[in-house]
Amino acid sequence: MSLEWGNFADIQSRIVHYEICVGTSKLNCNILRWKNVRLEQTALLLNLALPTNQDLYAVVKATNRVGLSTRQTSHSFRVDDTPPTVTKLPRFISSEDASSIYDSSVVRVEWGFDDKESPIKMTLLSLKLQGGAHTELDNIIVKSNGTFVKSLS
């Protein structure tokens, strides 16, 4: 898990360190106990056993030289370990026949994916030529779910 924070300030006593924790409520650090990260404002937490389908919270605590502290809690987040499911197999489409390409200057592809747990943010589209040759359509990130049209001219 990657955390990033800012906007903590103490002009009189200065912040001397930050601590972070993760829990199942805003006040319960039951997943990751308080961890001192010095004055870093980012943290990469690895090998955590985060529960799935449960609201989780990250908390950052800033402490000043005299021991006073304040906390800031993230919005809730969930871990989704389920992949999207295919609802429509990828296929080339054209206006004349939905299973073949007649206009060689335009590529049209349609597909369908669904994910009940999380929104699909992007699809990685790769079209390979016979024999495995690379094309200008290798590893294209598509933000929409369902169709892709590209003029090749």
Side-chain angles (χ1 to χ4, degrees), residues 5 16-20 36-43 60:
W5 60 92
V16 293
H17 71 269
Y18 296 103
E19 294 175 75
I20 58 174
N36 187 322
V37 293
R38 300 175 307 278
L39 289 172
E40 298 293 327
Q41 292 186 329
T42 62
V60 177

Side-chain angles (χ1 to χ4, degrees), residues 78-143:
R78 287 179 172 234
V79 174
D80 175 9
D81 64 351
T82 60
T85 57
V86 176
T87 58
K88 184 188 292 185
L89 290 174
R91 67 181 186 150
F92 291 102
I93 57 174
S94 72
S95 56
E96 294 87 7
D97 177 1
S99 63
S100 62
I101 298 175
Y102 287 101
D103 183 353
S104 62
S105 67
V106 177
V107 173
R108 294 178 184 90
V109 182
E110 72 176 355
W111 65 88
F113 293 105
D114 188 35
D115 192 326
K116 303 289 186 215
E117 300 294 324
S118 302
I120 296 172
K121 291 194 166 206
M122 68 171 194
T123 302
L124 184 63
L125 177 66
S126 285
L127 302 177
K128 302 288 184 185
L129 298 174
Q130 284 184 317
H134 293 284
T135 68
E136 64 181 84
L137 300 177
D138 279 349
N139 299 322
I140 295 174
I141 295 174
V142 182
K143 299 284 183 177

Side-chain angles (χ1 to χ4, degrees), residues 24-43:
T24 54
S25 72
K26 292 181 178 187
L27 300 175
N28 187 4
C29 297
N30 57 336
I31 303 296
L32 173 69
R33 299 281 177 217
W34 288 110
K35 177 179 179 174
N36 187 322
V37 293
R38 300 175 307 278
L39 289 172
E40 298 293 327
Q41 292 186 329
T42 62

Side-chain angles (χ1 to χ4, degrees), residues 26 54-58 73-78:
K26 292 181 178 187
Q54 186 174 3
D55 287 340
L56 299 172
Y57 300 87
T73 304
S74 71
H75 295 288
S76 68
F77 63 93
R78 287 179 172 234

Side-chain angles (χ1 to χ4, degrees), residues 4-21:
E4 183 176 325
W5 60 92
N7 297 327
F8 287 96
D10 188 330
I11 296 170
Q12 288 102 9
S13 299
R14 292 194 339 249
I15 294 172
V16 293
H17 71 269
Y18 296 103
E19 294 175 75
I20 58 174
C21 76

